[in-house]
Amino acid sequence: MLEGAELYFNVDHGYLEGLVRGCKASLLTQQDYINLVQCETLEAPFFQDCMSENALDELNIELLRNKLYKSYLEAFYKFCKNHGDVTAEVMCPILEFEADRRAFIITLNSFGTELSKEDRETLYPTFGKLYPEGLRLLAQAEDFDQMKNVADHYGVYKPLFEAVGGSGGKTLEDVFYEREVQMNVLAFNRQFHYGVFYAYVKLKEQEIRNIVWIAECISQRHRTKINSYIPIL
Amino acid sequence: MAALDLRAELDSLVLQLLGDLEELEGKRTVLNARVEEGWLSLAKARYAMGAKSVGPLQYASHMEPQVCLHASEAQEGLQKFKVVRAGVHAPEEVGPREAGLRRRKGPTKTPEPESSEAPQDPLNWFGILVPHSLRQAQASFRDGGRRRELPGGLGSSCSSRDISKSHLEVDPECGLTEKRSGGRAGLQLAADIASLQNRIDWGRSQLRGLQEKLKQLEPGAA
């Protein structure tokens, strides 16, 4: 697994993610990368918006990855909205929440890094409850408290931010995962829409995360922490 | 008379040995606590980022260590260990590095004196926007790495490659943590623990020697 792992990962993550990792692991040179990335793939349209960065240092790879995800999310949102009907009613709030969550998490993780505020703003998806005023405020935030102030303007996010910390030592990511699980479970209450497939996959991912967490707790002998996973009811 | 002197020497040696053992025990518990913390933070990071985003896929199989351990002979034939940060050397000091003990699987070619750029912060293997738990993990390992004892104590008979290989084989994922614990201050106490262990081993051999001498003297006196 040790030496060959870089060669097999793209089975799960897609061709372009594989290229990025190959570059990072020094399997591919920059020229290889540029040649390979110009093939036609499913992800190619998303890459066209982002391929201005040719220097593949750490920061640019991160920017690339996040811009790619942003393009994908925006395209997906547009697709759901155009589909209309119950699917749009179910999927659009879920995707809006995803966009807002990404905005918050990107902001939180960028504190203390070399990512500038302007760059940070280009990574925020352009839809969701936070768009556009919230995102503008978020781009100026410099610490967790300022971010919390921005969230307090929104009724949905205020209680989430208040739940951070507390007795259980919950992080912002935990709180967001919980909310995502709630929304995905509710998707099953409606009938005859495609959102159930998305919800099912997301809930399966959460299940996998829970299992991995429990396994790690057992192997590290932290049995008391086993129960801090998110139950899917 | 000689027996009395020997006994006094024996007593002081035993006292010193016990003191060293206590110090070692204390450092070991602190080390274990920090390393456990680090592993838990790593598990939390894996939860937040996804299990495949925090693992051996994120780094190349060959890398340069950020920090090296230098072994040097001190008084009484004891080995002393000193932690040196890579990339901060003057060209003349680069020579002894080959004899130094490496804490990572690094290439063992002769390092060029001109390569003075510091190796990349291991946190950046996981991207720029990493969750807080990953940074916490790095901090814990940095502090914990300070006190890390290399396995089995260090005698001058151990070769550097054996140490790094056996250490990484014992816990394959430990390699990940070793790579992440890059702090110079971090490894200094690891070196201290190793020196302590050495001193204890040396003390024990001295003790045995003295006990032999005493046995020889006692029957003679009687």
Side-chain angles (χ1 to χ4, degrees):
Chain A
M1 175 68 177
L2 287 173
E3 293 265 346
E6 295 98 84
L7 303 171
Y8 303 121
F9 53 83
N10 56 330
V11 168
D12 297 308
H13 289 268
Y15 178 68
L16 288 166
E17 175 77 14
L19 286 188
V20 173
R21 290 195 189 205
C23 247
K24 275 182 118 168
S26 323
L27 283 176
L28 298 173
T29 64
Q30 184 131 331
Q31 195 52 45
D32 284 337
Y33 179 86
I34 291 174
N35 287 339
L36 288 168
V37 95
Q38 282 161 14
C39 322
E40 209 44 50
T41 65
L42 280 175
E43 301 139 336
F46 301 125
F47 243 76
Q48 272 152 25
D49 301 328
C50 317
M51 260 323 276
S52 47
E53 286 100 349
N54 284 319
L56 287 175
D57 63 357
E58 289 299 339
L59 184 63
N60 285 331
I61 287 184
E62 193 71 33
L63 287 174
L64 199 65
R65 190 182 287 167
N66 282 295
K67 280 188 189 161
L68 209 60
Y69 199 88
K70 168 190 162 178
S71 310
Y72 147 74
L73 214 56
E74 286 169 358
F76 194 10
Y77 183 75
K78 210 162 37 166
F79 172 79
C80 290
K81 223 178 170 91
N82 289 343
H83 192 276
D85 203 25
V86 188
T87 305
E89 278 173 42
V90 169
M91 282 302 296
C92 288
I94 293 179
L95 291 178
E96 281 165 13
F97 172 73
E98 183 66 28
D100 295 337
R101 175 168 82 164
R102 277 196 74 76
F104 282 126
I105 297 287
I106 286 173
T107 313
L108 182 66
N109 291 342
S110 67
F111 294 146
T113 65
E114 53 198 25
L115 191 69
S116 69
K117 289 185 180 160
E118 296 77 26
D119 280 336
R120 196 206 291 172
E121 199 165 1
T122 59
L123 301 180
Y124 297 150
T126 53
F127 64 98
K129 288 200 171 57
L130 287 175
Y131 174 75
E133 298 88 18
L135 291 182
R136 213 171 297 138
L137 288 173
L138 215 52
Q140 304 307 317
E142 282 173 9
D143 59 25
F144 186 78
D145 289 321
Q146 288 181 17
M147 211 168 74
K148 192 159 184 287
N149 288 340
V150 174
D152 287 348
H153 295 301
Y154 298 90
V156 192
Y157 300 124
K158 186 165 180 198
L160 293 184
F161 272 75
E162 270 157 19
V164 174
S167 57
K170 281 194 194 166
T171 64
L172 192 63
E173 284 111 347
D174 290 338
V175 154
F176 279 144
Y177 277 134
E178 258 180 54
R179 174 102 179 105
E180 185 195 16
V181 163
Q182 276 169 13
M183 293 179 89
N184 284 327
V185 165
L186 287 175
F188 288 93
N189 284 349
R190 307 287 298 271
Q191 291 177 343
F192 304 118
H193 65 97
Y194 301 120
V196 283
F197 301 106
Y198 178 85
Y200 179 80
V201 169
K202 285 290 167 183
L203 288 174
K204 254 304 178 245
E205 280 181 8
Q206 181 63 41
E207 211 180 297
I208 291 173
R209 268 196 291 270
N210 287 345
I211 292 174
V212 169
W213 170 257
I214 292 171
E216 297 246 349
C217 282
I218 292 174
S219 76
Q220 293 176 28
R221 297 196 295 268
H222 280 294
R223 288 188 179 243
T224 46
K225 300 212 181 351
I226 283 183
N227 286 330
S228 55
Y229 62 88
I230 297 168
I232 300 171
L233 301 163
Chain B
M1 252 357 254
L4 268 171
D5 287 339
L6 264 178
R7 282 187 194 283
E9 209 182 321
L10 210 63
D11 285 341
S12 66
L13 201 61
V14 167
L15 278 172
Q16 193 193 12
L17 211 60
L18 289 174
D20 284 345
L21 276 169
E22 197 177 340
E23 204 182 329
L24 188 70
E25 218 28 63
K27 287 191 178 167
R28 261 194 230 176
T29 30
V30 175
L31 155 77
N32 285 338
R34 295 298 260 164
V35 170
E36 260 181 43
E37 251 176 57
W39 277 113
L40 191 66
S41 303
L42 210 61
K44 286 186 187 157
R46 215 166 260 147
Y47 186 84
M49 287 174 80
K52 290 192 179 118
S53 308
V54 181
L57 283 176
Q58 267 62 44
Y59 50 84
S61 3
H62 296 292
M63 62 191 72
E64 292 288 333
Q66 274 195 342
V67 183
C68 296
L69 214 51
H70 278 212
S72 53
E73 288 279 326
Q75 78 279 27
E76 297 154 342
L78 273 181
Q79 277 200 321
K80 276 214 103 64
F81 303 101
K82 205 174 72 137
V83 163
V84 180
R85 188 162 208 116
V88 205
H89 282 312
E92 327 60 88
E93 289 178 281
V94 166
R97 197 189 282 197
E98 288 154 272
L101 292 149
R102 296 208 173 221
R103 292 186 55 75
R104 291 189 187 78
K105 287 189 289 187
T108 45
K109 62 182 193 296
T110 318
E112 297 102 9
E114 309 81 37
S115 61
S116 54
E117 45 172 277
Q120 191 200 30
D121 179 12
L123 196 68
N124 289 341
W125 294 334
F126 304 93
I128 300 286
L129 300 173
V130 289
H132 184 58
S133 36
L134 207 58
R135 290 183 207 274
Q136 255 178 352
Q138 190 186 35
S140 298
F141 284 128
R142 268 208 176 126
D143 287 342
R146 287 198 281 158
R147 300 168 173 87
R148 183 136 223 170
E149 181 185 355
L150 300 172
L154 288 162
S156 40
S157 52
C158 295
S159 74
S160 58
R161 296 267 268 168
D162 286 346
I163 291 286
S164 53
K165 237 194 226 158
S166 66
H167 192 50
L168 290 164
E169 272 161 17
V170 159
D171 187 348
E173 278 237 302
C174 233
L176 198 58
T177 69
E178 296 289 49
K179 284 149 193 150
R180 229 175 278 112
S181 63
R184 170 175 56 95
L187 274 182
Q188 185 57 58
L189 273 177
D192 292 345
I193 283 192
S195 314
L196 261 177
Q197 182 80 29
N198 249 2
R199 216 164 68 196
I200 288 171
D201 290 337
W202 173 84
R204 282 165 73 188
S205 57
Q206 290 285 88
L207 202 67
R208 267 180 243 124
L210 281 176
Q211 281 174 333
E212 290 294 326
K213 269 195 221 162
L214 207 58
K215 273 202 204 105
Q216 287 168 0
L217 274 177
E218 297 273 80

